[in-house]
């Protein structure tokens, strides 16, 4: 194991004790959801930006607490479900899993590393889309096709957006 | 158990949360019911913010955009003035005016002309999800919007209301994968089911391969789905392919061209006819449809067409005329009463051929005399010109008395409109001596020339002292 990979895997976070204020925990997801429902009307290419997912991933990586991440992901997902025409719980389940796995992963990796952030964001976007598609087919019986190439492309775009977004969100944390 | 929960605390919480949500989904899918409380909360929290953002955007960025547009127009106008003069400048101005025509005005015009009852609404946001094809509009249950109402624009259908909240409604666009509506094509009247496919186009399914359909043909709503009133445009066919069982038909939805911002929610739909292919496909000159004589001629008594088509019709008409001439009303006679004398009908006996020469006109003598006037007015010859009727003007002229001595009663001419006159008191004219009625006056002599004294029936006329 090289020094670089060892640092990626074992380096402790400097701001492990930093926490978000409660108000930001509410406002940030709301802004992300508002962005998702409002902005694509004018800039349609931004409809593939899954900001609520990125917020969930960031919170899970930052909090390192699986239980908190589970409930945070579930809450964001349920609000998303409420604004969609699908049964409530579809986004909730997917984001619950994303929150749990992201929080679990954050205990093993140095999630402040941009490369790790990029890879995790890409992975969780792909996981989110794929699992949502599986749920649609399995629970609702929808016969939709999974566009693999498009999902990969949008995963890369979301991961690229995640890098500066996570930096900005880190600034909102306060020292614990 | 306690050991398990404490040892695998995180996993236990995850499983509980997942199972709870799975049960929630199962309940919704199984019972086909929703969880309105969560949705109402979320929508009520989000849509006012959306509406505010939209208001701010319209009154800030909208003005800024207008400012830049005006700047551009001004510089463009100056350039055109230098290049092409005032005429081209005016043209540019008019084009600009046309292109920036107010959509709301177009909506209101459509609203006033259409028989359906609409509610104007504005799109204020999209649904969540990357592949979502649902939008929020700023009218909800408080404005009498209900689930299942159709959403249209003057250009075509847009979608349907899937959830009506107090302040807003969720509209599923026709491009959504779960959307379906009954449609019928304009030219060949092919019926199918419109389905969204998740991107810009829609598919029309369940059209047999044997059905004829052309690229460029328009589809309209058929009204079969009980959501969209019949006759609303849907879109133009872009692709027609023969599939395994059904045709593969793709339609370019006309209602979503350029993005729907102002829409109309159909509160009370009224079915409309599918427009003709000629009117819906401008650019081709099509001749007027041929004149239908039966459509223009008045209907005879009993709903029978006045133009007699078959021999049975003609025979029936002859019997009716004979009965009417003898003041007999068919269907009212009691058993044993005297029937009408059908021996007066020409040609009723096999040995009596119908007369070849025109007969003199007996004005007002035959109640059925006006039966063919409609055909005469249309300029077409009647199918069965009856002797002694106005539809046979040659006969009229053949027996017309000298001009110096006009008849007391004007003969019915082809150009004169039929008049309502009293029932004739004159006897029936019979040409066949064997059928002669002993009470009737003798028929005029058969001759090609006008008779010296035509049998003019005089009506009692107090003003005529001849």
């Amino acid at each position: 194991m090289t020094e670089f990979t060892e640092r990626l895997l074992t380096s402790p976070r400097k701001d492990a004790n930093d926490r978000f204020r409660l108000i930001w925990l509410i406002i940030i997801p709301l802004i992300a959801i508002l962005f998702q429902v409002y902005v694509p009307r004018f800039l349609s290419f931004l409809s593939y930006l899954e900001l609520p997912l990125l917020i969930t991933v960031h919170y899970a990586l930052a909090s390192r607490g699986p239980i908190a991440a589970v409930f945070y992901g579930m809450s964001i997902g349920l609000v998303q479900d409420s604004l969609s025409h699908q049964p409530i719980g579809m986004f909730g389940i997917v984001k619950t899993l994303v929150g749990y796995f992201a929080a679990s992963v954050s205990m093993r990796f140095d999630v402040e590393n941009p490369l790790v952030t990029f890879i995790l964001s890409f992975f969780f976007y792909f996981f989110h889309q794929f699992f949502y598609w599986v749920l649609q087919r399995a629970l609702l019986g929808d016969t939709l096709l999974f566009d693999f190439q498009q999902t990969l492309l949008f995963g890369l775009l979301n991961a690229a957006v995640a890098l500066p977004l996570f930096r900005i969100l880190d600034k909102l944390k306060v020292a614990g | 158990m306690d050991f398990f929960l404490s040892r695998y605390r995180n996993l236990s919480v995850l499983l509980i949360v997942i199972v709870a949500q799975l049960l929630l989904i199962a309940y919704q899918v199984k019972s086909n019911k929703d969880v309105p409380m969560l949705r109402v909360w979320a929508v009520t929290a989000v849509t006012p913010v959306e509406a505010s953002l939209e208001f701010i955007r319209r009154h800030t960025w909208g003005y800024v955009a207008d400012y830049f547009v005006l700047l551009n127009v001004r510089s463009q106008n100056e350039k055109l003035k230098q290049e092409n003069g005032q005429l081209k400048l005016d043209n540019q101005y008019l084009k600009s005016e046309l292109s920036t025509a107010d959509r709301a005005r177009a909506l209101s015009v459509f609203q006033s002309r259409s028989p359906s009852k609409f509610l104007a609404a504005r799109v204020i946001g999209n649904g969540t999800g990357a592949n979502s094809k649902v939008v929020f509009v700023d009218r909800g249950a408080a404005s009498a919007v209900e689930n299942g109402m159709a959403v249209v624009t003057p250009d075509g259908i847009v979608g349907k209301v899937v959830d009506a909240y107090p302040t807003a409604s969720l509209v599923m666009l026709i491009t959504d994968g779960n959307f379906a509506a009954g449609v019928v094509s304009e030219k060949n009247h092919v019926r199918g089911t419109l389905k969204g496919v998740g991107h810009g186009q829609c598919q029309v399914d369940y059209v047999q391969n044997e059905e004829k359909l052309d690229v460029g043909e328009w589809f309209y709503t058929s009204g079969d789905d009980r959501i969209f009133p019949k006759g609303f445009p849907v879109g133009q066919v872009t692709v027609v392919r023969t599939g395994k069982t059904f045709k593969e038909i793709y339609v370019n939805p006309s209602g979503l061209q350029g993005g729907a911002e102002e829409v109309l929610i159909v509160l009370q739909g009224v079915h409309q006819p599918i427009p003709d292919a000629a009117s819906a496909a401008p650019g081709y000159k099509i001749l007027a449809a041929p004149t239908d004589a039966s459509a223009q001629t008045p209907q005879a008594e009993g709903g029978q067409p006045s133009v007699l088509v078959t021999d049975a019709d003609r025979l029936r008409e002859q019997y009716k005329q004979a009965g009417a001439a003898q003041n007999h009303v068919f269907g009212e006679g009691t058993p044993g009463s005297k029937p009408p004398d059908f021996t007066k009908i020409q040609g009723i006996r096999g040995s009596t051929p119908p007369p070849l020469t025109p007969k003199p006109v007996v004005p007002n003598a035959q109640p059925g005399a006006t039966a063919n006037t409609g055909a005469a007015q249309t300029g077409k010859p009647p199918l069965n010109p009856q002797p002694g009727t106005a539809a046979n003007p040659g006969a009229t002229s053949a027996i017309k008395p000298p001009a110096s001595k006009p008849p007391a009663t004007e003969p019915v001419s082809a150009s004169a409109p039929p008049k309502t006159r009293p029932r004739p008191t004159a006897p029936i004219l019979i040409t066949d001596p064997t059928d002669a009625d002993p009470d009737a006056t003798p028929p005029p002599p058969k001759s090609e020339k006008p008779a010296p004294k035509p049998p003019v029936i005089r009506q009692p006329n107090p003003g005529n002292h001849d």
Side-chain angles (χ1 to χ4, degrees), chain B residues 230-251:
Chain B
K230 181 182 174 185
F232 277 93
V234 173
Q236 255 182 318
V237 176
T238 55
V239 176
V240 180
R241 281 194 294 260
T242 303
K244 286 182 181 174
T245 312
F246 300 109
K247 273 187 185 297
E248 285 183 23
I249 303 163
Y250 286 93
V251 171

Side-chain angles (χ1 to χ4, degrees), chain A residues 34 36-38 41-42 66-67 71 74 80-89 91-93 96 100 140, chain B residues 10-11 14 17 21 25 28 39 42 49-50 53-54 57 123-126 128-129 134 136 170 172 176 178:
Chain A
L34 268 176
Q36 197 179 28
V37 300
Y38 187 70
R41 278 190 59 217
F42 312 104
I67 293 179
F71 284 106
M74 182 191 73
Q80 268 193 296
D81 283 322
S82 303
L83 298 173
S84 74
H85 66 288
Q86 302 282 28
I88 290 179
F91 278 117
I93 290 177
T96 300
Y100 179 81
L140 305 183
Chain B
N10 295 341
L11 199 59
L14 175 69
V17 170
Q21 291 182 81
I25 292 174
Q28 293 171 77
R39 289 196 194 272
V49 183
E50 277 185 280
L53 285 174
E54 177 65 17
R57 186 195 68 82
V123 177
I124 57 172
N126 286 9
T128 53
V134 291
F136 281 99
L170 189 64
M172 179 193 286
D176 190 282
N178 293 320

Side-chain angles (χ1 to χ4, degrees), chain B residues 306-320:
Chain B
S306 59
V307 176
L308 305 179
V309 180
T310 64
D311 287 343
D313 288 334
R314 295 185 196 107
L315 195 60
R316 182 172 179 272
E317 188 64 24
Q318 284 179 342
Y319 273 85
K320 281 177 68 179

Side-chain angles (χ1 to χ4, degrees), chain A residues 55-65 69 72 98-100 102-104 106:
Chain A
I55 299 296
T56 305
V57 171
H58 176 265
Y59 178 80
L61 294 178
S63 69
R64 293 189 162 190
Y72 197 68
V98 167
Y100 179 81
S104 303
S106 70

